[in-house]
Amino acid sequence: MTRMKEGVSWVLPILFLILVWELIAQSRLVPIYLFPPFSTVMLSLWLLTVQGVLPHNLASSLLRVIAGFVLGGLAGVLVGIAMGVNSKLNRTFSPIFSLLMPIPALGWAPLFMLWIGINELLPIALVFMCSFFPVLYNTVTGIRNVESGYLQASKTLGASKMKVLTTVLLPLALPNILTGLRLEAGMAWRVIIAAEMVAIPTGIGALMIRSESLLRVDVIMVCLIILSLMCLLFEKIFLKFEERTIHWR
Amino acid sequence: MNLPTVELVAVFNYALKGVNLKILDKELFVLLGRTGAGKTTLLNVITGLADYEGTVKFDGESIDEIPTEKRGIGYLFQNLLLFPHMNVYSNISYSMKIKGSSESEVEAKVKRLTEIIGIEHLVNRYPKHLSGGEKQRVALARSLASDPKILLLDEPFNNLDPRTGKHLRLELKRIQRQLGVTSIFVTHNLSEAAELADKIGIMNDGRILQVGTPQEIFFSPENSYVHEFLGAPNILECESCSPIGNDLAEVRANGLSVIAPYDGEPIKKLSILPSEIFLSRYPIPGPHINVFEAEIIKIQPSDTVVQISVAVKNHLYEVETLAETCKSEGWKEGTKVFVKLRLRSIRTWPRPDFE
């Protein structure tokens, strides 16, 4: 019952927004080519889907996000573990990463365009940069925040260094690591759209920028809705995963 | 020749200043001392968690080069450190799984331990869903699961209410006897030490000051620090003891008839701390139990707590009271007073092992 109530309280404001959107657009207060009604946007969504335009572009963006995110996340976790367990490594690399981390992922775009060229690797590299640093930071923090007593307890119970890492350190650092991954999962979509807008001819971002030149506001709105849904979906997947794996908290 | 199970020879480090210690097989040894005495550091030296100079031997063999994980020690930490991401079963079976025991062995062992310790019903719970006492039991089971030759316990019952603490101490003693594991128990609590120990080691400032049975320590302190640490208790020699019901006995001691707690064993000595004797110029109201006429023999002046020696039937007793009270009551040497021994503060000593 409470779940249903929660669902209703979530959906109602959205329905209200759609209604206001539809009414304002239908009233023709704003030219319809600049502000199409919700119904028109939904029709465009349907047409773009059946014509295959949307699935094709979405698949391109999705693959890039997954590739960049998996590589960046994995590298972040691995380097984070190494820095988390080894104080010397941490002392050496912390200042370097602290300098690089504040640079926005898109800030790397001009440099990567020259280094990598305008090809499939470019958006993947940008998503990699967007995921790597935050995940690295969360992993290091997660590992270093594990109470040292647990490590001692595990040692006295006979665990080797590797066992301490896999059975105690990583599981206890997991909440931090997953939070990092979840926050960056949404961020990866924001980066990929921007990258596709400026540099790549395929993907949701490219579709949006082409629509802008054709004055197809309805298509832009379809893309924005898809983007919003994808960000939400990615974050939700990680949230569910977090709930399942760290139920002991 | 029977070698000691644990032996420390001239052990030094940042907190220990030349510790020599022998603990015999199956012994429950209590390390007693104030906070900062070096008790936990000594346990950490035995486990290999703290660096040290000197030698630690198990069964006569030096283990200085053996890393912590291979020393085969059970360690019950002060803050227990149950792994929060594992349920009780996984916590207890952790060391066995690390060693590569088969699932059936693990299952049988966990079943046996949880039965002995009385926590069979908790195996699927996570630490966050356990009470303080339950956590202690689980931590004890975990430290025993790998059949350690030596069990170290660092003030494990500190944060429990007195009743649960007492119950767990009795349980611990029973389990320790049943499994026959040599144990070192660290505490700053004298009652806890007296209740548990086969032998007590008094520790201060990184040194072991005295080792002996509880009675040896209590009745024959070897130096003034130990005497003071024990609270400089008044000792009463018992002449006879007759149970009067309600876990009480009437004891003839030092020519007085004293009502004392009684647990079924004949009482040989009574002890009471100076701070637990109440002094009054006038007859003390309430039941006339453990109230005696006395005379003040000597007062050692002080700004805070005054030491007063009183004579009761030709025996001297030390009493502690606030300087303010002493002044306002106008007590001086030769004043006739009444003393009351607080019933629940009287400690009884049933086993004359040292005699």
Side-chain angles (χ1 to χ4, degrees), chain A residues 154-156 158 167 247 249, chain B residues 69 73 85 94 98 126 128:
Chain A
S154 139
K155 268 191 204 169
T156 60
T167 59
H247 54 92
R249 274 222 292 199
Chain B
E69 62 270 23
I73 290 170
H85 58 294
Y94 184 83
I98 292 279
Y126 279 81
K128 71 170 177 181

Side-chain angles (χ1 to χ4, degrees), chain B residues 4 9 13 19 29 44 62 99 138 189 212 222 245 279 319 327:
Chain B
V9 184
N13 72 1
V19 171
F29 187 92
N44 286 340
S62 164
K99 273 204 300 193
V138 173
N189 184 328
E222 278 173 8
L279 221 58
V319 180
K327 199 177 163 193

Side-chain angles (χ1 to χ4, degrees), chain B residues 40-51:
Chain B
T40 301
T41 308
L42 198 147
L43 293 192
N44 286 340
V45 162
I46 295 173
T47 52
L49 290 171
D51 293 333

Side-chain angles (χ1 to χ4, degrees), chain A residues 137-217:
Chain A
Y137 178 78
N138 275 285
T139 307
V140 175
T141 317
I143 286 183
R144 298 196 84 83
N145 281 350
V146 172
E147 196 186 326
S148 61
Y150 290 124
L151 313 185
Q152 295 186 339
S154 139
K155 268 191 204 169
T156 60
L157 291 165
S160 62
K161 276 185 184 166
M162 188 47 84
K163 281 283 179 195
V164 173
L165 176 71
T166 54
T167 59
V168 177
L169 211 44
L170 279 182
L172 290 179
L174 198 60
N176 259 53
I177 298 174
L178 286 180
T179 305
L181 285 171
R182 172 164 55 86
L183 296 178
E184 293 321 308
M187 190 53 83
W189 275 97
R190 284 157 218 157
V191 168
I192 205 79
I193 296 301
E196 288 167 349
M197 278 181 179
V198 291
I200 302 284
T202 55
I204 296 288
L207 181 61
M208 282 170 82
I209 212 72
R210 279 205 308 277
S211 310
E212 186 267 344
S213 62
L214 296 170
L215 266 181
R216 287 292 302 274
V217 177

